[in-house]
Amino acid sequence: MYDVVVVGGGPSGAIAAEDLARSGHKVALLDRAGRIKPCGGAIPPRLIADFDIPDDQLVAKITTARMISPTGRRVDIPIENGFVGMVDREHFDAFLRDRAAKAGAERLTGTWLRIERDDTGTAVIWREKESGEERRALTRLVIGADGARSNVARDEVPGGDRIPYVIAYHEIIEAPGAVGEYDPARCDVVYDGRISPDFYGWVFPHGKSASVGMGSMVKGVDLKKATADLRAASGLADCPTIRREGAPIPLKPLDRWDNGRDVVLSGDAAGVVAPSSGEGIYYAMVGGRVAATAASACLASGRVRDLRLARSLFMREHKTVFRVLGSMQNAYYRSDERRERFVSLCHDIDVQRLTFEAYMNKKLVRARPLAHLRIGLKNLAHLSGLVSPART
């Protein structure tokens, strides 16, 4: 009998399993081996500090972000007094799973099938990868951390099958030398309807490799052709391709993360990916931590309502940021004309400073009211068309 079975061994599930194991709970971490999620791999300083990420997990340190508009306008935003770390999910996720195991979590390698309940309690039914046989793991609680379009969420949590998402695709390529404008210390974000009609494309350095990709909610978009076009536009068409990956990225937190009985969700399964930016690693790990906190509280008290703590703790800190980013995406991603204005707005020094302070620290900066006022007025001017993108 386990206290908790965590389904999914990405950053969210691994952190949940580690936290629970360190708290003295008997935990199983069920994961499918060999899956790598498409991801730009950016992690901010707050993640590195909060989750004790060693420097050897960082494959690159980014000091500049470049925004590229539909007309090719380039706005470089320096990251003052710090850097954004880059990780390769193939190795980063494995590191987190290994750390959870060292903390005491038992590793199970296979595929989640379903939950069964009878007089003996709750059991996770899973198929072991090596033997192909069905196994049964009795448990008091289950954490569903099995990603976007989560099977656990679909089967167990009301509304878990109705979550909006972007389909993301990227190609990991061998990092070039001095090719075109590629810079191993700069992330390029491309806002161009020819690459993505409703999201963005990216070129993110990973040390010896680089992630080049894009995402879209629009059905019928040729993700591979768009990525090939992005590689060509970035001077990266001839770089050898290491691997190709695609997956959904959720865009809105679910209204409910638990089933009121024995299941709570975390990470992509709960929909916690930041709108506008698509950033998910930090929020997934926070989601794993609050799910572990809720599970521990439920196990201690016997009150199933304590499972609600996962969502309430997360939204208490991050709801406002998600709302602001969602409004930004709705306002600026709808057309190339709006995207041109968005990149133009990013040229503003107030926008740059406040945006990156918020990104690095994962909270809205309230210490500069005049800067907020200036940004608000410029934002209104752009959205109303009172100013031309070329003027700012």
Side-chain angles (χ1 to χ4, degrees):
M1 169 68 77
Y2 296 103
D3 292 323
V4 183
V5 171
V6 180
V7 181
S12 189
I15 288 297
E18 180 186 359
D19 281 5
L20 286 164
R22 292 190 187 282
S23 298
H25 296 292
K26 186 173 182 180
V27 185
L29 177 60
L30 173 62
D31 184 60
R32 295 185 300 171
R35 181 182 181 275
I36 308 169
K37 179 185 174 181
C39 178
I43 60 172
R46 181 170 175 184
L47 183 156
I48 295 170
D50 286 359
F51 296 96
D52 194 23
I53 304 303
D55 196 68
D56 61 13
Q57 282 298 311
L58 305 182
V59 294
K61 295 181 179 180
I62 300 303
T63 56
T64 305
R66 170 172 286 184
M67 309 297 180
I68 303 175
S69 78
T71 62
R73 178 175 186 169
R74 288 160 167 75
V75 176
D76 286 358
I77 304 177
I79 301 171
E80 298 179 353
N81 304 316
F83 63 87
V84 173
M86 305 299 293
V87 296
D88 188 318
R89 290 291 298 274
E90 179 180 12
H91 305 295
F92 183 67
D93 290 17
F95 161 78
L96 294 176
R97 289 190 290 268
D98 289 344
R99 194 167 72 174
K102 290 176 182 177
E106 182 179 342
R107 296 282 300 276
L108 306 177
T109 303
T111 305
W112 182 90
L113 297 176
R114 62 191 179 276
I115 291 177
E116 293 182 353
R117 300 176 178 89
D118 56 27
D119 293 341
T120 63
T122 299
V124 170
I125 311 302
W126 58 286
R127 176 170 286 110
E128 190 176 52
K129 182 176 182 179
E130 185 174 348
S131 68
E133 297 179 358
E134 286 194 11
R135 303 294 187 188
R136 179 182 177 89
L138 284 172
T139 185
R140 297 173 66 186
L141 297 174
V142 177
I143 292 178
D146 52 333
R149 294 195 290 200
S150 158
N151 291 322
V152 177
R154 179 198 63 204
D155 292 350
E156 294 292 334
V157 176
D161 59 342
R162 299 187 300 274
I163 185 168
Y165 55 85
V166 163
I167 294 295
Y169 172 82
H170 80 159
E171 296 177 0
I172 297 294
I173 64 172
E174 290 186 12
V179 173
E181 297 188 22
Y182 178 82
D183 184 339
R186 188 188 69 225
C187 283
D188 292 356
V189 184
V190 181
Y191 298 98
D192 187 339
R194 291 166 296 185
I195 300 300
S196 172
D198 60 332
F199 207 54
Y200 63 82
W202 67 82
V203 178
F204 286 179
H206 285 184
K208 294 180 180 179
S209 64
S211 166
V212 184
M214 51 78 65
S216 178
M217 291 181 66
V218 177
K219 293 182 179 179
V221 171
D222 190 331
L223 306 179
K224 292 184 178 180
K225 182 181 183 303
T227 301
D229 292 342
L230 177 58
R231 287 181 61 170
S234 304
L236 304 173
D238 296 330
C239 295
T241 301
I242 299 172
R243 65 179 189 263
R244 299 176 174 88
E245 298 149 358
I249 298 177
L251 289 178
K252 182 180 179 182
L254 290 173
D255 293 332
R256 182 171 178 176
W257 293 9
D258 70 279
N259 67 350
R261 185 175 186 178
D262 52 13
V263 174
V264 64
L265 305 176
S266 72
D268 282 11
V272 291
V273 173
S276 179
S277 69
E279 181 193 1
I281 301 177
Y282 171 76
Y283 295 110
M285 293 170 76
V286 171
R289 179 149 288 173
V290 296
T293 299
S296 289
C298 180
L299 290 168
S301 69
R303 298 188 301 259
V304 294
R305 68 173 181 270
D306 286 345
L307 294 177
R308 302 176 195 168
L309 282 171
R311 190 180 191 279
S312 63
L313 289 172
F314 184 95
M315 299 305 287
R316 182 184 302 169
E317 183 168 2
H318 301 292
K319 177 176 66 176
T320 302
V321 171
F322 272 50
R323 185 173 65 245
V324 170
L325 291 176
S327 298
M328 181 187 301
Q329 181 171 335
N330 292 333
Y332 283 109
Y333 285 18
R334 60 178 61 184
S335 69
D336 272 356
E337 190 271 338
R338 288 287 183 93
R339 280 185 277 267
E340 193 72 38
R341 291 182 178 277
F342 176 67
V343 174
S344 176
L345 190 63
C346 289
H347 194 272
D348 185 274
I349 192 66
D350 289 324
V351 172
Q352 292 181 16
R353 287 176 175 169
L354 292 181
T355 297
F356 271 91
E357 284 181 27
Y359 172 78
M360 303 283 264
N361 299 302
K362 289 293 166 259
K363 62 179 68 174
L364 294 179
V365 181
R366 305 183 186 279
R368 298 180 181 175
L370 291 179
H372 280 289
L373 177 61
R374 289 194 296 269
I375 291 171
L377 293 174
K378 292 170 185 176
N379 193 48
L380 287 173
H382 274 286
L383 292 176
S384 63
L386 293 176
V387 297
S388 166
R391 291 181 57 189
T392 57

